[in-house]
């Protein structure tokens, strides 16, 4: 329970929740949902801050992940339990901190339907797939003389900051109203890692020798926030379209762009089989050289990596895409969404039910599949149609069964209207 | 958000971590005795046994003691000795029309011409700028003037004045009487002390003619023709186009200081002639430097000679040239200008130096007060061969030579046999008397010294000089073995230092007619060779070596928490061996040892047959556990002392063969702390 409490504490952060309703009265307390086509737009200014973090895993349970979340030591028995099964080990981690501002009081371009908006965000995406052997090598070691294989593994990590500006367009007077927003962002990628292994990756080892098959590509790049490296551009696009009396179709594409690293990216590759039976000491006099072993280690590793350091690299950022259909029924609101995170993972499929618990409180539950089945819950609170709070918790199933399932996440949001 | 941010910031300096266990081979080596002694010290015999040979050479005397050639530069600051112009002539005519303008009206007519007496103070410019000079002041010389009467009547009197146009100084003032038509009158005047401009004025002060005897052809363009010539000119200064001429010459002998040495001949390996010239002469100066008594490749015509051109100085300034010419390969006589004639000279180089100008066709201003400052001579001379008399010298020689092979060894050793050769090699062409005072082997670890004792060691002996053409060095050998000396005890003392003490008198019996010689490679060396079969026994011999150590220089080693090291030794030597490593701090205090306290793991000796020859190697596995607390101390160590101990079974002597090998493989099992 202590862990569950920590996860809930973790969840006390803002996130923006969307909902639709054609009942204007029901939605009148939630002026913060300016792009919700179930209600008319309110002439106001909105400041938004939100936080989103989600970890979805397969083959690894929450007891394995908690040390990473809470910066503790990963115990040997936890590792052993997670490595018992030969299943693939997969994890997707997504973090997003977002600040935005929109002025709906004042139209722009002399068009009553166009408003400008500002946006700033920090985003992080990590995606990992390991064979059980690869995970064993990393988390346990190579004491077993069996062959370890690590084909078709990957590790992808992208962290970036962005600031952007754009427009919000809305047309409410049509029988099928719609709105969309377009933003252009300046981005800086702080950290980029992309490792992919192909076929014929293995390690056969004992205390006398190593035989390693390596067939991989890896790119790493990083930039300091204070520098101008890793800079690029991206674009965001959001569309909401009310296709019938009750149904809204939404489409979102976020961070379609690129970033460039100048002389600061490292590339490693290999496609060969290597054998190592210890550093050969050709002469006893080599032991007088303090750098001999390090030089030998470096030259051995060089064969394994064929490294190209400090090269130019342009990164094309895989955009996050999402398509959602929401419908309002007598029993409440239902939405179905298909979302691709912007990494190498499979899409996330989710179904959500939400409704008004009180005029100023919306509650929702959702379930879906991303690496494994998940169960989420969320709530939204409005105070005098001026202050708004959202909070939610993700992967309730894994929080309740931490030794069997892996996943955790929080959503939190806060808006002010004036 | 703030709460969460604070929570993250508290956590951000911590990482999640876990321990993994990795097994891997670390290092391997195959060693034989040459890895310890160095290949150059071993001689393999036909039966694959080894002789160990140590060679040491000590330079007792070298060329630096005899010949250091100092840079010797001379400076000359000279004004021009001579400045001359060649003889020059020019011609001009003062016409009848100019003397008597009315004649122009009668030009071409044939008629009687009346006598006339015309006096005038106005003259006519005579420009000698192109033919003579623009301006000159004369130290010596003459101006010759010939007046030719081209008038059709006799000139009873012609008074002629030649003066500078600018300052009206009179150059020539003379009268010519009764000059018949078609004849000439001549006069010559000295120019010494006179200053003459390039534009002169010729004034016919008076022309008095007789009347013609009858009609004559009046030609107003003819008159008194003036031919001027200057000759035997010596100038103080002039602005003119100068002819080629020598300005100064310096031939001289310079004696070099070679200390005690008297050199008569030198072949130069490298070195330079340097010429540094400052000139305020407004004409290009050509400097020639030569050493006539020198040659290259035995060709006397190929002697040292160099020419330097100094560009004209601008007025009020000077021009500078610095040149350096290599002398590599030249042979130079140091016996003065006339090497084959008395008086006998040494250390003396004869050289010739001159300054000259050549005709350029360009007008220049040159004065005898113009000067040339020159620094010239020989620098950085490194002789290849020097011949002469290098003087008598007496000196004592004492040197301590480290014997690295023994400096880290403690214990005892029993040698089967040993030889020591000592020979002196003289490549100087100089004789010396040598006395070997002492040769002592010092074991500083045990504070024990053994002096070499032998009936073969003479008292004082003569090291004869080497011969030249062809070159043959002189050798003086001495041989010591266990039958004629205590050399076996000398070596079994395992000296880490050998002390030599010699005394020497060089050229003790006077000069060999200045035929002693030194080459740049000449040395007198004492050469020592120790030879012993690699056959020894020991009841306990320990090698110890202190080294700097920094385990942290290996990347990520800090993440290794503990280890178990396995040292697999395949021993092909008939020696039992152990090893230990002491990990030390800066003050050489022991922090930890590789072996646990009180334990010392040993690699067993190879099996041998009845002849003491290894029949098969023996494998031993030594296991060293390094738990986290010991690993912590090992990482802190900045020095290590590696100890290796050996003993032969029962202390018996064994011969070591070339096929004996020691194979070592180090493996590790590490607990490694990963973090994320």
């Amino acid at each position: 329970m202590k862990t569950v409490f920590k996860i809930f504490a973790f969840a006390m952060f803002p996130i923006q929740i969307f909902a639709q309703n054609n009942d204007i009265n029901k939605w009148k307390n939630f002026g913060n949902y300016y792009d919700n086509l179930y209600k008319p737009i309110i002439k106001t200014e909105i400041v938004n801050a939100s936080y989103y973090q989600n970890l979805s895993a397969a083959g690894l349970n929450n007891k394995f992940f908690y040390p990473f979340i809470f910066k503790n030591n990963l115990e040997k028995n936890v590792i052993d339990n997670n490595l018992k099964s030969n299943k693939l080990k997969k994890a997707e981690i997504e973090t997003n901190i977002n600040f935005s501002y929109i002025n709906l009081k004042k139209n722009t371009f002399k068009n009553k339907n166009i408003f400008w908006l500002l946006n700033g965000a920090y985003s992080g995406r990590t995606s990992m797939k390991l064979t059980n052997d690869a995970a064993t090598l990393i988390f346990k070691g190579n004491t077993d003389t069996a062959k370890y294989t690590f084909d078709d593994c990957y590790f992808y990590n992208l962290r970036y900051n962005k600031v952007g500006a754009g427009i919000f367009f809305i047309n409410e007077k049509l029988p099928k109203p719609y709105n969309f927003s377009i933003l252009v962002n300046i981005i800086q990628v702080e950290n980029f890692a992309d490792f992919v292994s192909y076929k014929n990756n293995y390690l056969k080892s004992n205390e006398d020798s190593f035989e390693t098959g390596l067939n991989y590509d890896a790119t790493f790049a990083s930039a300091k926030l204070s520098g101008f490296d890793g800079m690029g551009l991206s674009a965001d696009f959001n569309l909401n379209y009310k296709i019938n009396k009750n149904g809204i179709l939404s489409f979102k594409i976020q961070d379609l762009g690129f970033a460039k690293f100048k002389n600061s990216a490292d590339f490693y590759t290999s496609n060969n089989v290597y054998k190592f039976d210890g550093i050969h000491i050709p002469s006893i006099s080599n032991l007088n050289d303090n750098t001999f072993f390090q030089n030998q280690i470096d030259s051995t590793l060089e064969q394994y990596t064929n490294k190209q350091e400090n090269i130019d690299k342009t990164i094309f950022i895989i955009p996050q895409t999402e398509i959602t259909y929401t419908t309002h029924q007598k029993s409440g609101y239902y939405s179905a969404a298909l979302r691709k995170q912007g990494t190498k993972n499979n899409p996330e499929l989710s179904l959500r039910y939400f409704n008004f618990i009180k005029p100023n409180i919306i509650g929702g539950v959702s379930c879906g599949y991303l690496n494994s089945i998940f169960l989420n819950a969320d709530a939204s609170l409005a105070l005098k149609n001026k202050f708004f709070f959202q909070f939610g918790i993700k992967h309730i199933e894994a929080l309740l069964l931490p030794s069997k399932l892996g996943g955790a996440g929080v959503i939190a949001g806060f808006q002010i209207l004036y | 958000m703030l709460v969460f941010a604070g929570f993250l910031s508290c956590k951000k300096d911590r990482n999640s971590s876990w321990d993994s266990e990795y097994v891997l081979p670390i290092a391997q080596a195959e060693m034989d005795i040459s890895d310890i002694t160095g290949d150059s010290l071993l001689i393999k015999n036909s039966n694959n046994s080894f002789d160990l040979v140590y060679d040491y050479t000590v330079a007792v005397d070298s060329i630096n003691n005899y010949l250091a050639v100092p840079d010797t530069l001379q400076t000359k600051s000279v004004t021009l000795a001579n400045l001359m112009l060649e003889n020059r002539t020019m011609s001009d005519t003062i016409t009848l029309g100019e003397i008597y303008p009315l004649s122009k009206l009668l030009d071409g007519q044939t008629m009687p011409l009346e006598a006339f007496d015309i006096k005038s103070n106005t003259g006519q410019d005579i420009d000698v700028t192109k033919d003579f000079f623009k301006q000159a002041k004369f130290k010596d010389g003459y101006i010759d003037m010939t007046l030719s009467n081209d008038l059709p009547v006799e000139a009873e009197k012609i008074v002629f004045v030649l003066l500078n146009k600018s300052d009206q100084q009179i150059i020539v003032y003379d009268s010519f009487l009764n000059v018949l038509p078609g004849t000439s009158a001549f006069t010559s005047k000295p120019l010494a002390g006179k200053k003459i401009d390039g534009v002169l004025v010729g004034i016919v002060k008076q022309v008095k003619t007789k009347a013609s005897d009858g009609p004559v052809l009046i030609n107003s363009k003819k008159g008194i023709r003036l031919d001027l010539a200057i000759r035997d000119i010596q100038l103080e200064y002039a602005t003119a186009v100068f002819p080629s001429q020598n300005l100064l010459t310096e031939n001289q002998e310079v004696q070099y200081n070679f200390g005690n040495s008297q050199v008569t001949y030198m072949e130069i390996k490298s070195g330079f002639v340097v010429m540094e010239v400052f000139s305020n002469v407004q004409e290009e100066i050509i400097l020639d430097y030569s050493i006539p008594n020198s040659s290259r490749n035995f060709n006397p015509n190929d002697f040292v000679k160099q020419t330097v051109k100094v560009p004209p100085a601008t007025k009020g300034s000077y021009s500078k040239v610095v040149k350096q010419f290599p002398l590599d390969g030249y042979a130079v006589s140091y016996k003065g200008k006339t090497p084959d004639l008395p008086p006998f000279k040494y250390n003396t180089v004869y050289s010739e130096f001159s300054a000259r100008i050549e005709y350029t066709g360009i007008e220049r201003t040159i004065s005898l007060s113009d000067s040339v400052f020159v620094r010239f001579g020989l620098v950085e001379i490194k002789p290849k061969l020097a011949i002469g008399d290098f003087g008598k010298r007496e000196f004592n020689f004492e040197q301590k030579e480290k014997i690295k092979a023994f400096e880290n060894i403690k214990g005892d050793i029993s040698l089967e046999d040993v030889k020591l050769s000592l020979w002196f090699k003289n490549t100087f062409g100089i004789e010396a008397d040598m006395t070997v005072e002492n040769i002592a082997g010092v074991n500083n670890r045990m504070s024990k010294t053994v002096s070499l004792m032998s009936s073969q060691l003479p008292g004082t002996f003569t090291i004869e000089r080497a011969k030249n053409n062809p070159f043959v060095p002189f050798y003086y050998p001495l041989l010591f073995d266990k039958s004629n000396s205590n050399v076996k005890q000398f070596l079994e003392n395992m000296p880490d230092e050998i002390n030599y003490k010699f005394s020497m008198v060089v050229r003790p019996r006077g000069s060999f007619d200045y035929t002693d010689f030194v080459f740049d490679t000449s040395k007198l060396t004492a050469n020592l060779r120790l030879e012993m079969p690699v056959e020894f026994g020991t009841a306990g011999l320990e090698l110890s070596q202190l080294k700097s150590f920094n385990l942290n220089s290996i990347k990520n080693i800090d993440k290794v928490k503990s280890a178990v090291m396995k040292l697999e030794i395949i021993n092909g030597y008939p020696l039992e061996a152990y090893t230990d490593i002491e990990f030390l701090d800066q003050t050489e205090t022991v922090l930890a040892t590789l072996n646990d306290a009180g334990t010392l793991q040993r690699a067993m000796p190879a099996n041998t047959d009845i002849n003491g020859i290894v029949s098969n190697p023996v494998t031993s596995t030594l296991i060293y556990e390094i738990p986290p607390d010991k690993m912590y101390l090992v990482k802190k160590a900045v020095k290590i002392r590696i100890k290796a101990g050996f003993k032969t079974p029962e202390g018996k002597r064994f011969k070591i063969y070339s096929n004996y090998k020691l194979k070592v493989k180090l493996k590790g099992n590490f607990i490694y702390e990963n973090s994320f």
Side-chain angles (χ1 to χ4, degrees):
Chain A
M1 281 308 290
K2 191 179 172 187
T3 306
V4 174
F5 173 76
K6 282 181 179 175
I7 296 296
F8 271 100
F10 206 72
M12 295 301 291
F13 302 93
I15 186 170
Q16 184 175 316
I17 295 176
F18 66 90
Q20 291 86 15
N21 195 332
N22 58 3
D23 187 339
I24 295 169
N25 287 330
K26 280 186 175 178
W27 286 98
K28 68 180 181 184
N29 292 322
F30 288 89
N32 54 324
Y33 297 123
Y34 63 90
D35 60 351
N36 185 341
L37 292 172
Y38 287 124
K39 65 171 186 57
I41 193 168
I42 299 170
K43 297 289 183 182
T44 184
E45 292 176 62
I46 305 171
V47 175
N48 166 63
S50 62
Y51 177 82
Y52 174 94
Q53 186 161 45
N54 187 33
L55 160 68
S56 299
L60 295 167
N61 62 30
N62 266 7
K63 287 203 168 177
F64 184 89
F65 288 112
Y66 289 158
F68 292 97
I69 295 170
F70 300 107
K71 306 293 180 186
N72 291 328
N73 287 335
L74 182 59
E75 299 298 333
K76 188 173 181 300
N77 63 327
V78 174
I79 295 171
D80 287 344
N81 283 337
N82 277 274
L83 297 177
K84 268 181 195 167
S85 160
N86 205 33
K87 285 181 183 171
L88 287 174
K89 313 300 179 198
K90 295 172 76 175
E92 318 296 329
I93 304 167
E94 184 180 359
T95 306
N96 193 53
I97 302 171
N98 187 268
F99 301 92
S100 65
Y101 166 81
I102 185 165
N103 188 343
L104 299 167
K105 288 179 181 171
K106 192 176 176 182
N107 55 299
T108 188
F109 301 120
K110 296 181 180 175
N111 186 319
K112 285 188 288 186
N113 297 328
I114 300 177
F115 307 91
W116 59 274
L117 59 89
L118 302 174
N119 189 42
Y122 163 81
S123 294
R125 304 171 205 166
T126 304
S127 179
M128 179 186 80
K129 184 174 90 171
L130 297 174
T131 61
N132 193 56
D133 283 353
T136 303
L137 274 176
I138 294 169
F139 294 103
K140 202 169 173 181
N142 70 329
T143 51
D144 192 342
T145 54
K147 183 178 179 181
Y148 298 84
T149 58
F150 34 99
D151 293 345
D152 299 321
C153 296
Y154 62 75
F155 176 80
Y156 181 87
N157 184 55
L158 177 69
R159 285 189 286 128
Y160 59 96
N161 303 292
K162 68 175 183 181
V163 288
I167 57 157
F168 173 68
F169 178 89
I170 185 162
N171 193 335
E172 298 177 298
K173 293 180 179 171
L174 294 172
K176 293 182 177 179
Y178 68 94
N179 62 49
F180 67 85
S181 62
I182 299 173
L183 282 108
V184 176
N185 306 297
I186 296 170
I187 65 170
Q188 186 187 31
V189 175
E190 279 184 30
N191 191 285
F192 176 76
D194 186 7
F195 169 87
V196 184
S197 72
Y198 309 107
K199 299 293 179 192
N200 300 321
N201 289 276
Y202 66 89
L203 170 70
K204 281 195 293 187
S205 67
N206 56 43
E207 62 181 18
D208 287 315
S209 68
F210 270 22
E211 183 182 312
T212 315
L214 290 176
N215 181 13
Y216 73 93
D217 289 326
T219 304
F220 299 95
S222 60
K224 287 183 179 170
L225 193 61
S226 54
F228 286 97
D229 208 10
M231 301 296 288
L233 292 171
S234 74
D236 301 339
F237 177 72
N238 276 285
L239 170 69
N240 296 294
Y241 179 51
K242 195 167 182 184
I243 57 175
N244 54 44
K245 185 182 171 188
N246 294 324
I248 297 172
L249 184 67
S250 300
F251 175 74
K252 182 165 83 172
I253 183 163
Q254 191 168 325
D255 288 331
L256 174 64
F258 70 95
K260 294 186 82 165
F261 285 91
K262 180 85 176 165
N263 300 327
S264 56
D266 301 331
F267 178 69
Y268 304 85
T269 187
S270 181
N271 184 7
N272 214 334
V273 173
Y274 305 97
K275 288 187 177 175
F276 176 72
D277 50 6
I279 292 166
H280 286 259
I281 303 169
S283 164
I284 204 166
S285 62
N286 291 117
L287 301 178
N288 290 324
D289 179 2
N290 281 334
T291 61
F292 174 75
F293 277 102
Q294 185 60 56
N295 291 341
Q296 293 297 310
I297 291 168
D298 289 345
S299 60
T300 303
L301 290 178
E302 171 60 29
Q303 298 174 50
Y304 290 25
T305 60
N306 300 301
K307 65 183 174 187
Q308 298 171 44
E309 291 184 309
N310 303 321
I311 60 172
D312 293 350
K313 177 77 181 171
T314 298
I315 295 164
F316 293 97
I317 296 168
I318 307 167
Q320 293 181 331
T321 52
E322 183 174 351
I323 186 161
T324 309
Y325 177 72
T326 305
T327 181
H328 178 201
Q329 302 299 322
K330 284 183 183 174
S331 53
Y333 296 85
Y334 299 86
S335 66
L338 189 64
R339 181 170 180 269
K340 186 83 170 69
Q341 191 194 23
T343 57
K344 298 173 190 294
N345 67 323
N346 294 321
E348 173 187 329
L349 178 66
S350 65
L351 296 169
R352 179 166 179 256
Y353 167 77
F354 61 99
N355 208 342
F356 288 87
I357 298 169
K358 287 186 173 182
N360 64 337
I361 298 175
I362 300 170
V365 291
S366 59
C367 63
Y369 185 87
L370 174 61
N371 291 333
S372 60
I373 291 170
F374 62 80
L375 178 65
N376 301 339
D378 60 78
S380 185
L381 171 68
L383 295 177
K384 297 179 180 178
N385 204 7
K386 195 170 182 66
F387 301 103
F388 304 90
F389 301 92
Q390 299 85 38
F391 46 88
I393 190 156
K394 299 179 80 83
H395 290 285
I396 295 169
E397 81 295 344
L399 296 173
L400 295 173
L401 299 168
S403 59
K404 292 190 180 301
L405 301 171
V410 293
I411 50 179
F414 172 64
Q415 294 89 41
I416 302 174
L417 268 63
Y418 57 94
Chain B
M1 284 290 287
L2 288 172
V3 172
F4 184 65
F7 176 73
L8 275 184
S9 65
C10 291
K11 293 280 188 181
K12 70 181 180 184
D13 56 340
R14 286 172 50 190
N15 284 324
S16 306
S17 64
W18 68 94
D19 293 341
S20 304
E21 188 175 353
Y22 294 106
V23 174
L24 72 160
I26 299 171
Q28 57 170 307
E30 183 176 283
M31 291 177 281
D32 59 27
I33 192 166
S34 65
D35 288 302
I36 298 170
T37 59
D39 284 337
S40 60
L41 301 177
L42 284 175
I43 293 176
K44 195 164 123 181
N45 297 314
S46 56
N47 65 354
N48 288 332
S49 67
F50 287 113
D51 281 348
L52 191 60
V53 177
Y54 286 98
D55 277 315
Y56 295 102
T57 297
V58 181
V60 180
D61 206 1
S62 69
I63 187 171
N64 296 331
N65 296 325
Y66 296 95
L67 202 59
V69 183
D71 290 352
T72 303
L73 289 169
Q74 301 153 253
T75 57
K76 292 280 174 198
S77 180
V78 290
T79 54
L80 306 189
N82 296 300
L83 189 59
M84 50 162 279
L85 284 174
E86 75 274 44
N87 298 342
R88 296 176 182 189
T89 62
M90 62 90 60
S91 185
D92 200 1
T93 299
I94 302 171
T95 63
L96 177 61
E98 289 164 341
I99 299 167
Y100 181 45
L102 280 176
S103 62
K104 292 178 183 172
L105 299 174
L106 308 171
D107 203 22
Q109 295 183 37
T110 302
M111 57 182 291
L113 186 62
E114 291 180 354
F116 57 83
D117 183 0
I118 298 169
K119 293 178 181 169
S120 173
N121 282 323
T122 59
Q124 177 189 340
D125 289 355
I126 302 171
D127 189 345
V128 298
T129 307
K130 286 184 182 172
D131 297 315
F132 286 6
F133 41 73
K134 195 170 180 181
Q135 190 182 60
K137 185 168 183 186
F138 294 88
K139 199 174 166 186
D140 203 355
Y142 295 90
I143 183 167
D144 297 335
M145 191 167 67
T146 304
L147 273 171
S148 300
N149 183 6
D150 293 334
L151 295 171
V153 292
E154 178 182 346
E156 279 189 277
K157 186 178 183 183
I158 303 171
V159 179
F160 183 79
V161 178
L162 187 68
L163 47 77
N164 284 331
K165 185 177 181 183
S166 59
D167 62 2
Q168 299 291 305
Q169 186 191 352
I170 293 171
I171 313 299
V172 178
Y173 196 137
D174 211 346
S175 298
F176 304 88
L177 301 175
N178 302 322
V179 184
L180 294 172
T183 65
S184 300
F186 175 82
T187 187
S188 182
K189 301 291 180 188
L191 289 173
K194 289 196 170 161
K195 182 171 85 78
I196 300 179
D197 291 341
V199 181
L200 304 172
V201 179
I203 304 171
V204 180
K205 298 279 282 185
Q206 183 183 9
V207 180
K208 184 180 179 185
T209 61
K210 290 182 178 176
S212 64
D213 291 339
V216 292
L217 179 65
I218 306 298
N219 186 345
S220 66
K221 293 186 179 65
K222 285 192 172 180
I224 310 268
R225 184 158 38 89
L226 183 65
D227 291 306
L228 292 174
I230 55 173
R231 61 182 167 83
D232 305 331
I233 299 299
Q234 291 286 320
L235 294 165
E236 279 188 39
Y237 64 83
T239 302
V241 175
F242 286 90
S244 298
Q245 56 192 290
N246 276 333
L247 300 178
L248 68 90
T249 300
E250 289 277 339
N251 300 333
Q252 58 194 340
E253 290 181 334
V254 176
Q255 189 167 46
Y256 286 72
N257 180 6
F258 293 145
N260 211 20
S261 300
Q262 297 176 355
V263 176
T264 57
Y265 173 85
M266 188 183 293
E267 287 178 15
I268 296 171
K269 184 179 182 185
S270 64
F272 300 93
V273 174
V274 167
M275 297 176 77
E276 190 176 336
V277 189
F278 298 83
S279 165
N280 65 359
V281 180
Q282 294 175 47
E283 178 60 285
E284 183 183 72
I285 304 287
I286 298 164
L287 302 173
D288 295 305
Y289 175 81
S290 65
I291 302 174
N293 295 326
S294 65
S295 63
R296 188 162 54 178
N297 299 326
F298 305 103
N299 177 3
N301 296 321
D302 185 7
F303 58 88
V304 177
K305 50 180 180 291
Q306 292 298 338
T307 297
V308 170
K309 290 186 175 179
V310 186
T314 53
K315 190 175 181 182
S317 182
Y318 62 87
S319 57
K320 178 187 176 185
V321 169
V322 178
K323 293 275 185 185
Q324 188 167 275
F325 305 100
L327 283 177
D328 305 7
Y330 280 102
V332 177
S333 167
Y334 277 72
K335 293 165 82 174
K337 182 177 181 181
T338 51
D340 302 325
L341 297 175
F344 175 76
K345 291 177 183 169
Y346 55 85
N347 298 353
T348 304
V349 174
Y350 171 69
S351 65
E352 293 180 354
F353 174 79
S354 67
R356 60 192 165 87
I357 59 174
E358 289 192 339
Y359 174 78
T360 60
I362 301 168
E363 186 179 272
R364 307 282 194 194
T365 299
I366 304 178
S367 163
L368 286 183
S369 62
D370 288 346
S371 62
V372 179
F373 174 84
V374 189
R375 236 154 59 98
F376 64 97
L378 309 182
V379 297
E380 298 177 26
I381 299 296
K382 303 282 181 214
K384 180 183 175 191
L385 166 66
I387 297 176
D389 178 10
F390 298 93
K392 181 178 180 181
R393 293 171 61 241
E394 293 182 21
F395 65 93
N396 294 314
F397 177 83
E398 196 166 351
Q399 185 159 326
K400 294 177 178 177
E401 186 74 26
K402 290 285 179 195
I403 309 294
K404 289 196 169 179
F406 289 127
E407 69 183 2
N408 296 313
I409 299 177
K410 280 198 298 191
D412 73 274
I413 189 168
S414 161
L415 299 171
E416 176 60 28
D417 195 9
V418 63
K419 285 180 196 165
L420 187 149
S421 310
L422 174 67
W423 71 96
F424 294 89
K425 180 181 176 184
N426 186 14
T427 57
F428 283 107
I430 307 171
E431 186 181 83
D433 284 350
M434 169 74 75
T435 305
V436 177
E437 306 277 352
N438 191 22
I439 298 174
V442 183
N443 182 333
N444 285 300
R445 289 105 57 220
M446 306 295 288
S447 300
K448 188 178 172 188
T449 300
V450 175
S451 290
L452 184 66
M453 314 269 277
S454 172
S455 56
Q456 296 295 303
L457 265 179
T460 300
F461 51 96
T462 297
I463 308 277
E464 292 178 18
R465 62 182 193 160
K467 294 184 173 68
N468 203 4
N469 295 325
F471 177 79
V472 181
F474 178 79
Y475 292 93
Y476 190 94
L478 296 165
L479 181 63
F480 309 97
D481 58 27
K482 64 183 182 183
S483 69
N484 66 12
S485 69
N486 65 340
V487 66
K488 188 168 175 292
Q489 291 81 355
F490 183 87
L491 257 293
E492 286 177 344
N493 183 38
M494 292 190 287
D496 52 73
E497 186 178 291
I498 293 183
N499 294 348
Y500 304 86
K501 196 172 176 186
F502 308 128
S503 61
M504 199 161 74
V505 181
V506 178
R507 205 213 64 173
R509 284 168 281 279
S511 170
F512 284 81
D513 292 333
Y514 290 87
T515 57
D516 282 355
F517 63 87
V518 291
F519 282 95
D520 59 328
T521 55
S522 291
K523 280 179 189 171
L524 173 57
T525 54
N527 305 276
L528 186 141
R529 167 171 278 197
L530 286 169
E531 287 176 89
M532 52 188 165
V534 184
E535 181 176 359
F536 63 94
T538 176
L541 194 65
E542 185 177 277
L543 274 68
S544 165
Q545 195 171 16
L546 186 68
K547 293 159 62 70
S548 60
F549 179 73
N550 181 10
L551 192 62
N552 295 313
S553 67
I554 297 176
K555 285 175 197 163
N556 297 325
I557 199 74
D558 56 311
K559 294 185 175 175
V560 177
K561 290 170 80 171
S562 64
V564 176
M565 311 292 280
K566 248 187 230 180
L567 186 64
E568 186 180 286
I569 299 172
I570 303 172
N571 190 359
Y573 284 85
L575 296 165
E576 180 183 307
Y578 69 86
T579 187
D580 198 10
I581 299 174
E582 291 175 351
F583 298 92
L584 312 168
D585 66 9
Q586 196 63 50
T587 61
E588 297 184 12
T589 304
V590 177
L591 300 172
T593 55
L594 185 62
N595 288 283
D596 291 338
T599 66
L600 205 55
Q601 300 179 70
R602 294 174 186 276
M604 298 314 290
N607 297 323
T608 53
D609 61 18
I610 54 170
N611 299 315
I613 296 172
V614 169
S615 53
N616 56 293
V618 169
T619 301
S620 305
T621 302
L622 316 183
I623 297 173
Y624 304 99
E625 288 192 29
I626 307 174
D629 54 342
K630 189 189 270 191
M631 183 62 79
Y632 172 75
L633 295 170
V634 168
K635 287 176 189 172
K636 276 181 66 178
V638 293
K639 294 179 184 176
I640 53 172
R641 183 178 286 115
I642 302 172
K643 291 179 176 176
F646 305 96
K647 69 175 182 180
T648 51
E650 300 165 16
K652 284 196 294 188
R653 286 185 194 140
F654 286 90
K655 201 181 272 281
I656 303 298
Y657 291 90
S658 62
N659 60 338
Y660 288 4
K661 304 284 180 194
L662 182 72
K663 292 181 185 173
V664 178
K665 185 153 193 174
L666 183 63
K667 311 159 186 180
N669 186 323
F670 299 97
I671 303 298
Y672 187 86
E673 184 182 34
N674 290 287
S675 60
F676 185 80

